[in-house]
Amino acid sequence: MAKKRVAIIGVTGSVGQEFVQSLNNHPWFEVTQIAASERSAGKKYLDAIKDSSGIVAWDVGGEIPEYIKEMTVKSIDELDVSQLDLVFSAVESEAARDIETKMAVDLPVISTSSAYRYENDVPILIPGINDEQTELLDIQKKNRNWKGWVAPLPNCTTTGLAITLKPLLEKYGAKKVMMTSMQAISGGGKSGVSAMGITDNIIPYIPKEEGKVRQETRKILGKLKDGKIEEADIRISCTCTRVPVIDGHTESVFVETTKEIDPARAKETYNQCNKDISVIGLPSAPKDYYAFHEDPTRPQPRMERTVGDGMTTTIGRVEKEELFDNGLKYMLFSHNKKMGSAKGAVLLAEMLYKKGKI
């Protein structure tokens, strides 16, 4: 099988570097072109990620993959779309919408940015959770007269919440959700959180985050009907905070369900999902999509972030919630830089490739 030729846009940034790592020796995709800002264009990748003092600013774990070191970074305009099958967009600026629009005219685009998330003909996809909404991509192509499409991932805080709610919604119904997040520093990007601001501190507000979580969760958990997504009828209240943890978002969740639920039923539901989840066998999928802990001290970021190479969502502290007639409370852990970002985007590409969309 010939590998699909892919480009990474925004390749020098922290999310771009995660893409570089996630696509190293990938069995289905091969990075053949890379692009970044004009400042980096024309440089070898290794030179493009050096700072002004000559230090190589490689922000992700492990060694820089050999395949990327000598590749020349192009400007967006220099990308040869005729020699590509797919684009991964890791653009972290307001330019994302213009760039992704330009690429989607000719090619499928999978994005970690919010530029297209809230358009009516654009699904926010989490592989294994709302795969049926991929059919909206064909409608998007037709609506916009594009050869490609844009498929964005959700906000990384939304990812863990939507993943853990989906099985509960399907089997027990979900009417109300209250969530408090404890989000990692890396979720703010390279310049998002100052060391002086986060050390020995908790920041109780992240601009626009709570609105994103509410809107995106309802859209992801909605149903595709007559070419449109009908949002899930769930009332969501959330408080998003930043804590001095490097990688991985932890969330405290309270759910009111329609049917009676308890920890034993929840455990059975998540275990069954591990057997039925649609992404089983995909190259980037974890062995277990969900990890369910009865140990009340779990999940913990330092312990969970390596589980399933950051692709497993961990659930713990599961208890009946007495505030509701039918309710559950639990803690979750989701890796914001893996499942919630580049590697999750690669898993999405694998799912869409399997479905014949790429």
Side-chain angles (χ1 to χ4, degrees):
M1 180 181 76
K3 292 186 180 183
K4 294 292 181 181
R5 303 160 299 177
V6 306
I8 304 170
I9 299 178
V11 70
T12 58
S14 55
V15 178
Q17 292 180 13
E18 289 284 349
F19 272 115
V20 168
Q21 189 179 61
S22 299
L23 290 163
N24 186 28
N25 295 319
H26 194 282
W28 298 357
F29 306 128
E30 181 181 3
V31 179
T32 58
Q33 298 181 55
I34 55 176
S37 65
E38 294 291 342
R39 180 187 62 80
S40 300
K43 297 178 181 178
K44 299 293 186 183
Y45 185 74
L46 206 55
D47 293 326
I49 61 171
K50 288 180 180 176
D51 65 18
S52 57
S53 60
I55 296 171
V56 176
W58 178 249
D59 297 323
V60 299
E63 298 294 322
I64 303 171
E66 289 296 327
Y67 82 90
I68 201 79
K69 290 181 178 179
E70 294 299 312
M71 286 186 71
T72 300
V73 180
K74 298 182 177 184
S75 67
I76 307 300
D77 294 335
E78 291 173 334
L79 289 173
D80 184 354
V81 296
S82 70
Q83 299 299 310
L84 290 170
D85 300 301
L86 171 67
V87 171
F88 288 109
S89 172
V91 180
E92 299 174 350
S93 68
E94 294 180 0
R97 188 177 177 92
D98 289 342
I99 291 168
E100 290 170 12
T101 302
K102 181 177 181 178
M103 292 294 110
V105 170
D106 296 295
L107 293 165
V109 177
I110 293 178
S111 171
T112 57
S113 85
S114 63
Y116 269 99
R117 280 183 201 149
Y118 312 114
E119 300 287 320
N120 290 335
D121 58 356
V122 178
I124 305 172
L125 297 171
I126 302 176
I129 299 301
N130 59 338
D131 298 10
E132 71 283 352
Q133 292 184 14
T134 59
E135 297 308 311
L136 193 56
L137 296 175
D138 294 326
I139 295 170
Q140 182 193 138
K141 285 172 67 174
K142 184 177 179 182
N143 286 351
R144 298 169 186 269
N145 196 29
W146 289 345
K147 294 178 184 176
W149 36 254
V150 177
L153 262 63
N155 177 284
C156 52
T157 311
T158 304
T159 301
L161 182 63
I163 285 174
T164 58
L165 284 177
K166 178 62 183 261
L168 303 182
L169 175 65
E170 290 290 301
K171 192 160 185 179
Y172 298 100
K175 298 189 291 185
K176 296 177 185 175
V177 175
M178 293 187 293
M179 183 273 282
T180 299
S181 69
M182 290 146 275
Q183 296 175 218
I185 302 167
S186 58
K190 281 187 177 182
S191 57
V193 188
S194 72
M196 285 293 289
I198 196 64
T199 302
D200 188 33
N201 202 16
I202 293 173
I203 299 173
Y205 175 69
I206 303 172
K208 301 182 180 179
E209 197 85 349
E210 292 160 14
K212 291 178 182 179
V213 172
R214 287 192 295 268
Q215 187 173 355
E216 293 172 19
T217 302
R218 285 193 287 258
K219 186 173 184 178
I220 291 163
L221 298 180
K223 297 292 184 183
L224 186 61
K225 293 183 180 178
D226 301 322
K228 296 181 181 179
I229 295 173
E230 289 187 4
E231 291 189 350
D233 184 18
I234 306 173
R235 295 172 68 182
I236 300 171
S237 173
C238 52
T239 302
C240 294
T241 74
R242 188 80 68 194
V243 297
V245 169
I246 296 172
D247 290 328
H249 293 349
T250 304
E251 301 174 23
S252 172
V253 184
F254 297 74
V255 185
E256 181 180 10
T257 55
T258 304
K259 300 176 183 177
E260 184 178 353
I261 190 171
D262 58 36
R265 289 185 175 99
K267 181 180 180 180
E268 182 183 348
T269 299
Y270 288 120
N271 285 343
Q272 188 61 46
C273 284
N274 276 335
K275 299 174 184 176
D276 300 336
I277 200 81
S278 64
V279 298
I280 290 173
L282 295 180
S284 299
K287 176 181 175 290
D288 292 318
Y289 200 84
Y290 297 97
F292 188 99
H293 284 283
E294 296 185 54
D295 178 348
T297 68
R298 306 284 290 275
Q300 296 179 31
R302 284 196 303 181
M303 298 175 74
E304 320 305 342
R305 64 171 65 115
T306 58
V307 177
D309 194 30
M311 301 296 282
T312 295
T313 301
T314 304
I315 301 157
R317 284 295 314 274
V318 185
E319 303 173 19
K320 279 188 70 71
E321 178 45 61
E322 296 181 0
L323 282 175
F324 309 128
D325 292 333
N326 299 309
L328 201 71
K329 71 174 183 178
Y330 61 89
M331 302 284 288
L332 73 86
F333 173 86
S334 177
H335 200 310
N336 59 301
K337 287 173 65 179
K338 298 289 187 179
M339 186 61 179
S341 188
K343 196 164 184 179
V346 174
L347 181 63
L348 174 56
E350 294 164 2
M351 182 267 279
L352 292 170
Y353 176 67
K354 188 177 179 182
K355 283 181 169 288
K357 302 295 183 185
I358 296 173

